[in-house]
Amino acid sequence: MVTRKRAETETKQHSLKMRLDDMITINPKTEKQKEFFDAYQQGHYFCALSGVAGTGKTYIAFYKALEEVLDKSNPYQKLVIIRSSVQSREMGHLPGDADEKMNMFTEPYKQIAAELFKRRDAWDRLVEQDYVEFLSTSFIRGTTFNNAIVILDESQNCTMHELDTIITRIGHTSKFFLCGDYRQVDLTKKNDRSGLLEFLHILRSMKEFTEIEFSVSDIVRSSLVKNYIIAKMKYEDSK
């Protein structure tokens, strides 16, 4: 006989398990988002989502990747998110150990997870169950990602050396997506230079590679963001 206390405990434990059925379904909002959804459906496993801010690049990559990771019929066991070089270089100036420092940069993904599952602790639960992992570019050398879907976010802030290191970590039965906007480079140190444009140029010669360029018309974050970026582009063109 199951007591009420035991039943409540079992229900609580079960509710902590993240399942595909618990995730909301989203549909593409723009033509470029649809292009990515279609490419994903067709089995393209090596994509670059580049272009202006506010177009949902990271959001849709996270959604489609997690959708596959949570599907038990797929070989992909984990979603690995790798964040840009700028954050990894600045970690030494932040308080706490490596995990505490990296936690400061997982907020965007916590927000996405919370929205997809309609629960604030979704990211923590996904991490606990080993469905997702967040890494800095400082901690990937020597690592091989097998049976994983890897998202490199803020790729414009990686040097060519870092981009080369990251892509050569991709192992068997894995997918790789990079998200970034070459207009928003945050590298400020003298010897640092974004390698994104050079990297994309190399990738375009690979038959496995698919590139989707997002433009102002694909901005979904807000009308304010869209109008600001339009105004900024006009200003830059006039100089």
Side-chain angles (χ1 to χ4, degrees), residues 11-227:
T11 300
K12 183 177 180 180
Q13 289 175 340
H14 178 71
S15 69
L16 295 179
K17 295 180 179 179
M18 308 305 289
R19 303 174 305 168
L20 179 60
D21 291 343
D22 297 325
M23 188 167 68
I24 66 171
T25 301
I26 65 170
N27 297 308
K29 295 182 178 180
T30 68
E31 285 301 314
K32 291 298 181 179
Q33 286 194 6
K34 185 178 185 303
E35 187 176 333
F36 172 67
F37 274 55
D38 291 344
Y40 205 107
Q41 186 65 32
Q42 292 163 14
H44 294 226
Y45 60 89
F46 185 10
C47 296
L49 309 183
S50 58
V52 299
T55 50
K57 300 183 294 296
T58 301
Y59 188 95
I60 59 176
F62 186 105
Y63 169 73
K64 294 303 290 183
L66 194 56
E67 189 177 47
E68 278 209 287
V69 168
L70 291 175
D71 186 344
K72 301 297 185 182
S73 66
N74 287 319
Y76 308 105
Q77 300 171 356
K78 180 184 289 189
L79 164 58
V80 179
I81 300 174
I82 302 174
R83 188 79 181 198
S84 73
S85 58
V86 171
Q87 281 76 17
S88 66
R89 293 194 186 102
E90 292 176 348
M91 278 185 175
H93 303 292
L94 297 173
D97 58 23
D99 288 337
E100 291 170 331
K101 291 174 182 180
M102 284 196 291
N103 283 340
M104 298 187 66
F105 303 107
T106 59
E107 189 58 35
Y109 317 111
K110 290 180 179 180
Q111 291 181 8
I112 295 173
E115 183 172 338
L116 291 177
F117 289 93
K118 300 303 178 185
R119 53 186 296 174
R120 289 186 297 177
D121 65 343
W123 172 264
D124 294 333
R125 301 286 78 77
L126 291 167
V127 171
E128 286 177 4
Q129 293 169 50
D130 209 28
Y131 285 128
V132 299
E133 181 178 8
F134 177 83
L135 293 173
S136 157
T137 51
S138 295
F139 303 106
I140 64 168
R141 184 166 291 281
T143 301
T144 300
F145 301 113
N146 292 317
N147 301 101
I149 302 178
V150 179
I151 296 176
L152 170 60
D153 203 11
E154 304 292 346
S155 57
Q156 74 276 5
N157 289 328
C158 288
T159 64
M160 185 60 208
H161 175 70
E162 288 172 311
L163 291 165
D164 182 74
T165 299
I166 293 164
I167 196 170
T168 55
R169 302 302 96 202
I170 308 302
H172 297 291
T173 318
S174 291
K175 294 185 178 184
F176 177 59
F177 302 107
L178 64 88
C179 302
D181 177 12
Y182 60 86
R183 302 173 188 84
Q184 290 189 308
V185 176
D186 298 318
L187 298 173
T188 57
K189 293 186 178 180
K190 183 178 180 180
N191 295 325
D192 284 344
R193 183 174 66 86
S194 174
L196 180 57
L197 290 177
E198 182 182 358
F199 189 59
L200 290 174
H201 182 75
I202 294 171
L203 298 184
R204 288 173 187 136
S205 66
M206 298 175 61
K207 62 181 177 58
E208 300 92 344
F209 176 67
T210 300
E211 182 179 8
I212 302 175
E213 177 76 21
F214 290 72
S215 66
V216 171
S217 62
D218 298 299
I219 295 175
V220 295
R221 182 163 293 153
S222 69
S223 58
L224 174 65
V225 171
K226 185 172 185 177
N227 292 335

